[in-house]
Amino acid sequence: MSQQQDILRDAMRRLNLTRDAFSERLGVRRRALDTWLLPADSGESRAMPEMVGKFVAEILQREAHATASGADSRPLAQRIAAEGRPHLLSVAQFERDGLEDLFQVADVMQPIARRQKVTRVLEGAVLGSLFFEASTRTRVSFGAAFCRLGGTVCDTTGFTFSSMAKGESIYDTSRVMSGYVDALVVRHPEQGSVAEFARATNIPVINAGDGPGEHPSQAILDLYTIQREFSRMGKLVDGTHVAMVGDLKYGRTVHSLIRLLSLYRGLKFTLIAPPSLEMPAYLLDLVSRNGHVIEQTQSLEEGLRGADVVYATRIQKERFVGEEIEGYTPEFQVRKALVDTVCKPDTILMHPLPRDGRPGANDLSIDLNHDPRLAIFRQTDNGIPVRMALFAVLMGVEHQVARSMRDAGWRSPAHIGPDDADFDGLD
Ligand code: NCD
């Protein structure tokens, strides 16, 4: 880890300090800290004085010393292992420390994700990408993340074009693939199926969504996004108010996200779902046992009021078997007029995407597209560094990345989206 922004971000996360509190602790002005945190290529970025760097290292060393007795010094892949093996099947594999370590690796990946640097740490490695359900961003971002680490990808999509259509078992498919590739990313419509893939192989397996079960990498990138947005606003995840809207019964992204967020302290969740699509009871129990407040409502206006994060989801129609949803009326649409009335100027609006843009879909409205609170594309962009970090950790190359980086040989646009300039410098 060499970049000053990475060092400062990591220190704030580990010390659980806002930018204001951290600048006070360092005895510097908040504005100075902001300029040290800007990407190196931003016009306003400034070099952090050497003395400050030394002081930060000292504070962290003291902190590590104070917590050393309980700390686990094994590599992250071992600390998050599933039944002793380097898989990612559920967010339950993570403690808060492990998440912070993973975010530190994701920060190191940022210049590669932004196409300023390249690395070849996974040169020669092949990823097997098996998607038995519809996907655009998860499949492509896992593939792109593996390629940006220097590896290559082989994939199959849908049942029709795989031997599963001929009755092949998960065990056979997984064992066969293990002879061809070095890691597997699997999406499958049945809950628990990706764990079955994992039991049939010794190569790393990542759960990219198992039916209505979990979607751990999505929740990790969602939390990483919340942290980065909050860091800019001087907020902490502890004590925050998160509103989750939509299909909380079948939406696997919210199942994983609420579990991850419950590792933090003193959160308030408002869960807004139509009567038949509420969050499963086992998750409500788990979250309230961790000391968080949960309120359930069918009123969008009530649930969104004062939220720091609004996380909207799509109704998972493909998972309904003979069920009719009632009460999913236009009042459920998260739209600009409502956000302007009940949300705050610094509320962030998130969605795992895809959002259903068809008329009558009642999803996150496109009339928010130019609102800077809309964080959905910053969220999708963060999928790359987070998924790169997951591969690097599970394949044991995370410490090689920083020293392997070279400048990219091609030029890419400074802003990859036409509206991105609005957020320039906010990083
Ligand atoms: C979600 C999924 O597949 O669970 N999308 C994603 O991976 N980003 C959400 C959805 O399909 O609604």
Side-chain angles (χ1 to χ4, degrees):
M1 190 167 64
S2 51
Q3 300 242 353
Q4 71 182 32
Q5 308 99 279
D6 298 351
I7 296 170
L8 293 168
R9 269 183 205 288
D10 185 51
M12 284 191 287
R13 263 193 313 254
R14 284 178 202 279
L15 301 166
N16 203 25
L17 294 177
T18 60
R19 287 192 190 191
D20 278 336
F22 189 52
S23 50
E24 210 167 285
R25 175 100 177 246
L26 294 177
V28 300
R29 279 182 308 122
R30 161 73 197 259
R31 178 72 201 134
L33 177 62
D34 285 343
T35 59
W36 303 336
L37 277 161
L38 288 168
D41 61 348
S42 141
E44 286 177 57
S45 159
R46 295 288 172 274
M48 165 173 74
E50 208 175 305
M51 274 298 289
V52 180
K54 282 197 181 133
F55 188 36
V56 173
E58 230 170 74
I59 298 175
L60 279 177
Q61 227 163 30
R62 242 180 286 148
E63 173 82 9
H65 200 69
T67 52
S69 47
D72 185 342
S73 56
R74 289 175 302 157
L76 182 55
Q78 282 178 30
R79 279 184 279 142
I80 62 166
E83 292 174 12
R85 280 182 288 178
H87 302 307
L88 175 64
L89 304 175
S90 162
V91 291
Q93 291 167 240
F94 279 91
E95 300 285 347
R96 195 163 156 168
D97 284 6
L99 269 180
E100 277 157 15
D101 289 352
L102 185 75
F103 290 165
Q104 180 192 331
V105 182
D107 285 348
V108 174
M109 302 297 184
Q110 283 286 1
I112 308 172
R114 290 170 192 225
R115 290 89 132 164
Q116 292 147 355
K117 299 278 177 188
V118 290
T119 181
R120 308 289 304 161
V121 285
L122 284 188
E123 185 164 19
V126 181
L127 173 70
S129 166
L130 305 180
F131 276 70
F132 300 103
E133 271 192 338
S135 173
T136 303
R137 77 221 77 238
T138 307
R139 186 168 60 85
V140 175
S141 68
F142 267 120
F146 204 83
C147 292
R148 291 202 189 275
L149 288 167
T152 50
V153 184
C154 293
D155 62 5
T156 168
T157 47
F159 285 99
T160 328
F161 299 109
S162 97
S163 279
M164 286 202 149
K166 302 177 184 169
E168 186 167 57
S169 67
I170 287 182
Y171 183 92
D172 285 6
T173 308
S174 183
R175 172 59 190 87
V176 168
M177 287 298 295
S178 317
Y180 305 156
V181 300
D182 304 289
L184 279 177
V185 172
V186 185
R187 170 172 285 188
H188 191 282
E190 270 163 54
Q191 190 159 351
S193 55
V194 183
E196 215 178 315
F197 273 91
R199 282 193 293 272
T201 180
N202 287 331
I203 63 168
V205 174
I206 297 182
N207 179 2
D210 58 332
E214 279 217 43
H215 194 347
S217 66
Q218 178 70 44
I220 295 169
L221 78 87
D222 290 340
L223 180 57
Y224 181 74
T225 303
I226 294 173
Q227 278 217 341
R228 284 184 78 96
E229 299 278 310
F230 275 18
S231 160
R232 168 167 49 79
M233 296 162 179
K235 291 185 180 182
L236 293 176
V237 179
D238 290 319
T240 199
H241 173 188
V242 180
M244 291 180 168
V245 190
D247 186 346
L248 308 184
K249 179 179 180 186
Y250 294 114
R252 54 194 170 199
T253 63
V254 278
H255 297 169
S256 292
L257 182 59
I258 202 166
R259 282 187 86 145
L260 265 196
L261 284 168
S262 74
L263 294 174
Y264 287 75
R265 280 189 295 267
L267 269 72
K268 175 179 166 186
F269 293 99
T270 45
L271 306 180
I272 312 137
S276 52
L277 297 178
E278 285 127 349
M279 182 74 77
Y282 80 94
L283 284 168
L284 298 179
D285 287 350
L286 199 138
V287 173
S288 43
R289 269 206 309 278
N290 284 351
H292 304 289
V293 173
I294 303 178
E295 284 168 13
Q296 298 196 75
T297 170
Q298 279 154 29
S299 155
L300 193 59
E301 197 175 326
E302 208 180 285
L304 298 195
R305 198 175 290 281
D308 298 294
V309 178
V310 174
Y311 194 96
T313 62
R314 180 181 66 86
I315 297 291
Q316 312 278 298
K317 289 204 185 84
E318 66 275 28
R319 306 208 189 285
F320 293 16
V321 261
E323 290 164 85
E324 278 300 311
I325 12 154
E326 278 166 37
Y328 195 63
T329 53
E331 285 84 73
F332 263 88
Q333 193 183 42
V334 179
R335 56 190 190 285
K336 185 153 169 63
L338 179 69
V339 169
D340 285 343
T341 319
V342 296
C343 294
K344 303 187 278 188
D346 66 354
T347 301
I348 55 170
L349 306 171
M350 300 177 69
H351 193 301
L353 300 183
R355 53 180 162 163
D356 192 338
R358 291 170 292 193
N362 306 331
D363 209 328
L364 181 65
S365 167
I366 55 165
D367 71 356
L368 283 157
N369 277 7
H370 302 288
D371 192 312
R373 291 172 289 188
L374 190 75
I376 55 176
F377 300 119
R378 299 190 296 273
Q379 197 181 346
T380 49
D381 287 349
N382 282 333
I384 296 288
V386 165
R387 290 181 168 129
M388 288 176 78
L390 285 168
F391 285 129
V393 165
L394 294 176
M395 300 183 77
V397 295
E398 72 268 38
H399 299 299
Q400 297 172 33
V401 177
R403 63 171 184 273
S404 74
M405 277 193 228
R406 288 179 289 112
D407 286 343
W410 74 100
R411 277 165 56 100
S412 48
H415 305 294
I416 48 180
D419 287 326
D420 290 6
D422 292 351
F423 311 115
D424 190 26
L426 292 177
D427 217 358

